[in-house]
Amino acid sequence: MLERLRLGFGAMRVWRFGWGDWMHRVVTALGLMLWCVLFALPSLAADKVALVIGNSNYDHVGLLPNPKNDADDVAAALQGIGFSVRKATDVTFEQMRQELGAFSHDAALADMAVVFFAGHGIEVDKHNFLLPTDAKLESDLDVNFQTVPLDMVVDAVSRAHNLRLVLLDACRNNPFANRMRLSDATRSIGRGLSPIEPKGSTIVFYSARDGTVASDGSGRNSPYSQALLKYLPQADLDVDKMLRKVRDDVLKATNNTQEPTTYGLLPSDDIFLVQTRSAVSLVEKPKGDDPPVTVPAVIPIDPAATEWAAIENLESPAILQTFIRAHGDTVYGKYAEARLAELQEREKQRRQTEERQSDQPPSQPTSQGSLQPSPQQYNISSTTPPSQPRHWYLATYSNVDFYGGDLYSKGLEAASLDQCAQTCAANLSCKLFTYNSAKNRCFPKSGFSYAQIMSGAQAGYFFESERRDQAPAFRAEWEIFVKADLLGGDNYSARASSYDDCLLMCKSDQSCRAFSYVPFGKSKSCWIKTFAATLPTYSQKTERGIVSGRRADMVVRADGVYDTAARY
């Protein structure tokens, strides 16, 4: 009996320890699952996050009708393309700082972080501030305690892994400007916002150029927000190009009075807010069963246009006749025929003049009417016999470049325009030259393809004539800007291996009024434009070698004519 009890007790012990082991395994498994879930939480964070703020109802200044609408609509647009959006409207100082603080943690785990702010923004002493609704600024020092610095907004997106973008529809007039006291006479209150230089690959996109103000608009949205709403949902649209399109639409909507401006640089790789195809598929041909992808083709260059650009200013009947035989059925062939007829008529008149002069008795030499030498002369040696004197002059043209025909591809060093002229005069192959005063380089030329307007360039042209007032005039078809961009009017972009290719691409497209050649990025590209801003834009990005041009169709005349000795 006792033995049975022992056996039973032992069985109970075995059963008890079996149950405990099973429970231990269950708890361990649950713990592992919980650990995996917690470990995986960062990977579940949203890849694209946005903070949208719109302040319309200010406590101490007038109502702004559109910012709340802009915030509602932009938030909906961003949500529609997959962003996790925090939206806040009519926020106070504390609320605005709390929203930015919470958002900065979201941004640190995201690939893309976007902040959109619509409302009042001001500049004080070259620093920018965004106004919460409870701001009551009575002096310039109050901005430190009642407003949110723009730098704080930039910091909020700074830890995103890929895209860091701040969209500001806040370049309005300072509503407190008339009542704010300056604590120091050296401090200032500006108009609009001041330019900034965000660090890293961060973009800040103002709704208006620094120092100018933006329109609130007469409809539901401001012109800036309306343009954003148009392009935010577009698939496979690079962010940089999207911002260009927004700028163009705002310029057009405001009759060129409001120009959105970008500060900062994006990385060289294209970034898409909405991407339906892989970045590789946008540039490579599909393989296997992949669906076909339409890649924008480079606009073909018309060979007739290319050749005509090189010869249109030459005065050689033989070259023109060769061109006509090759391209007589094109519009450029008609140009060549007209030019040839003009040269033939000119030669006919010259011969008739010589014949009339040969029939007249030689006139007696007289001192009256002789040309007086210019105070400045170039000492060009003459090999012409004294019995056959010729009058040679040098015409100079400011801000003009004769393009093409360089005798030295990299030019020659020259300390002045005078030295450049002497260098050309000493070379019988040199007929004209361009002097780059910024780099002290002289480009002697045997001929040229066309004249173009270029700030800082000085051109010289030797000509033979009986009178100094017969200096030739040239038609400058293009105005060129080095290390500058011409904003607006982007029609399309295409690959271009050089600046010359970009220029010819625009030249052969009748709708092209301007272009920008960008020699960096994934591939060198040419932006063809249907219109362009009046003034060029200079920035850190353009310093990397952007060259822009626009059609000028201007007649340039000599601004100086100097006597020289005979050239030959």
Side-chain angles (χ1 to χ4, degrees):
M1 184 68 179
L2 188 59
E3 190 66 27
R4 290 179 181 175
L5 288 172
R6 287 192 187 126
L7 288 172
F9 182 72
M12 289 178 65
R13 290 178 63 191
V14 171
W15 177 84
R16 188 179 66 182
F17 284 110
W19 171 259
D21 184 57
W22 179 78
M23 286 295 295
H24 179 266
R25 292 181 181 179
V26 170
V27 171
T28 301
L30 288 173
L32 284 171
M33 290 174 64
L34 179 61
W35 180 83
C36 289
V37 170
L38 292 174
F39 184 80
L41 277 178
S43 66
L44 297 176
D47 290 334
K48 302 189 293 186
V49 296
L51 172 62
V52 177
I53 297 176
N55 285 346
S56 285
N57 296 294
Y58 283 87
D59 296 342
H60 303 288
V61 293
L63 172 73
L64 287 176
N66 282 339
K68 186 178 183 302
N69 297 336
D70 295 336
D72 290 340
D73 295 344
V74 170
L78 289 170
Q79 284 176 334
I81 58 174
F83 275 79
S84 174
V85 179
R86 289 175 175 268
K87 187 186 76 171
T89 57
D90 294 336
V91 291
T92 64
F93 173 70
E94 288 299 331
Q95 291 170 340
M96 196 165 171
R97 292 173 65 92
Q98 288 172 4
E99 291 288 349
L100 285 167
F103 176 74
S104 68
H105 295 291
D106 297 341
L109 303 175
D111 286 333
M112 299 183 182
V114 176
V115 171
F116 172 85
F117 176 83
H120 278 302
I122 65 172
E123 179 260 308
V124 176
D125 207 29
K126 303 302 180 183
H127 296 282
N128 301 305
F129 303 89
L130 306 183
L131 302 190
T133 56
D134 56 350
K136 184 181 180 181
L137 305 180
E138 297 179 347
S139 79
D140 58 324
L141 296 181
D142 289 339
V143 297
N144 299 316
F145 311 104
Q146 299 181 27
T147 69
V148 173
L150 177 55
D151 290 343
M152 181 182 293
V153 180
V154 175
D155 288 343
V157 301
S158 63
R159 291 188 292 171
H161 304 152
N162 192 4
L163 173 66
R164 300 177 281 277
L165 177 62
V166 177
L167 305 170
L168 288 182
D169 197 358
C171 308
R172 297 171 170 85
N173 273 324
N174 182 349
F176 295 98
N178 294 330
R179 66 183 87 166
M180 288 177 65
R181 300 187 306 273
L182 292 176
S183 59
D184 189 327
T186 63
R187 289 169 66 86
S188 63
I189 299 175
R191 185 170 181 261
L193 296 178
S194 178
I196 65 169
E197 294 184 7
K199 298 177 181 178
S201 298
T202 300
I203 290 293
V204 179
F205 188 44
Y206 286 4
S207 58
R209 179 173 292 280
D210 54 271
T212 65
V213 296
S215 168
D216 198 45
S218 57
R220 174 178 171 82
N221 302 111
S222 71
Y224 176 80
S225 294
Q226 187 173 5
L228 277 175
L229 292 169
K230 176 180 177 182
Y231 293 110
L232 280 173
Q234 286 197 10
D236 302 318
L237 178 63
D238 174 49
V239 169
D240 189 45
K241 188 170 184 179
M242 180 194 77
L243 300 183
R244 285 171 174 255
K245 286 180 172 289
V246 170
R247 179 194 62 213
D248 292 350
D249 277 19
V250 174
L251 280 167
K252 192 176 297 184
T254 61
N255 197 24
N256 292 330
T257 60
Q258 179 182 331
E259 182 181 344
T261 304
T262 303
Y263 297 93
L265 293 173
L266 287 171
S268 58
D269 293 338
D270 291 340
I271 299 177
F272 307 95
L273 296 182
V274 187
Q275 187 171 354
T276 60
R277 293 170 285 171
S278 68
V280 174
S281 72
L282 293 174
V283 295
E284 292 186 352
K285 293 177 67 176
K287 300 178 181 180
D289 297 329
D290 294 339
V293 176
T294 301
V295 179
V298 176
I299 303 300
I301 297 175
D302 185 349
T306 304
E307 294 179 26
W308 177 247
I311 71 165
E312 63 176 323
N313 288 297
L314 300 182
E315 297 188 354
S316 169
I319 292 177
L320 290 171
Q321 288 168 351
T322 301
F323 182 87
I324 292 168
R325 284 194 294 270
H327 305 291
D329 58 343
T330 69
V331 65
Y332 301 100
K334 304 304 179 186
Y335 295 161
E337 290 173 355
R339 184 68 183 278
L340 180 60
E342 178 186 352
L343 292 178
Q344 292 172 339
E345 179 64 25
R346 190 188 305 171
E347 177 64 16
K348 179 181 177 181
Q349 292 177 357
R350 186 187 68 79
R351 290 179 179 178
Q352 291 174 347
T353 302
E354 288 180 351
E355 291 174 358
R356 287 195 298 269
Q357 291 176 345
S358 64
D359 293 338
Q360 296 176 356
S363 59
Q364 298 297 320
T366 174
S367 60
Q368 294 183 358
S370 60
L371 296 175
Q372 296 299 318
S374 166
Q376 179 179 355
Q377 291 190 348
Y378 295 107
N379 299 318
I380 302 173
S381 60
S382 170
T383 58
T384 303
S387 59
Q388 296 179 357
R390 288 183 175 181
H391 297 287
W392 277 93
Y393 300 95
L394 171 66
T396 58
Y397 305 81
S398 296
N399 299 317
V400 173
D401 171 40
F402 291 127
Y403 186 82
D406 293 329
L407 294 174
Y408 307 92
S409 60
K410 295 184 179 180
L412 302 172
E413 186 173 354
S416 65
L417 174 66
D418 182 78
Q419 185 178 351
C420 186
Q422 293 282 2
T423 300
C424 181
N427 187 340
L428 293 182
S429 297
C430 181
K431 312 297 183 187
L432 63 158
F433 61 86
T434 294
Y435 177 61
N436 185 332
S437 58
K439 295 186 177 181
N440 291 332
R441 303 297 293 180
C442 178
F443 295 86
K445 300 168 183 285
S446 60
F448 70 107
S449 298
Y450 53 87
Q452 58 189 14
I453 306 297
M454 181 178 290
S455 179
Q458 294 175 288
Y461 187 93
F462 288 100
F463 71 100
E464 186 181 21
S465 177
E466 294 298 322
R467 302 203 314 265
R468 62 185 298 128
D469 59 0
Q470 292 182 336
F474 300 95
R475 181 175 64 88
E477 184 178 352
W478 300 95
E479 184 175 11
I480 305 300
F481 304 94
V482 179
K483 294 184 178 180
D485 190 13
L486 288 172
L487 303 180
D490 291 336
N491 189 16
Y492 61 86
S493 66
R495 294 178 184 175
S497 60
S498 67
Y499 158 78
D500 290 343
D501 287 347
C502 188
L503 175 62
L504 290 175
M505 198 177 297
C506 183
K507 194 179 182 74
S508 61
D509 185 342
Q510 296 301 317
S511 68
C512 179
R513 306 307 302 167
F515 65 89
S516 289
Y517 173 62
V518 182
F520 51 83
K522 271 191 171 181
S523 61
K524 298 175 182 179
S525 59
C526 179
W527 289 85
I528 300 299
K529 303 165 180 283
T530 55
F531 69 91
T534 304
L535 298 176
T537 297
Y538 300 90
S539 66
Q540 290 179 340
K541 189 172 183 178
T542 62
E543 283 293 322
R544 297 170 64 186
I546 293 177
V547 181
S548 299
R550 63 184 172 204
R551 294 188 187 270
D553 294 323
M554 296 172 56
V555 175
V556 292
R557 304 184 187 280
D559 50 24
V561 179
Y562 307 99
D563 292 341
T564 72
R567 291 288 327 269
Y568 305 104

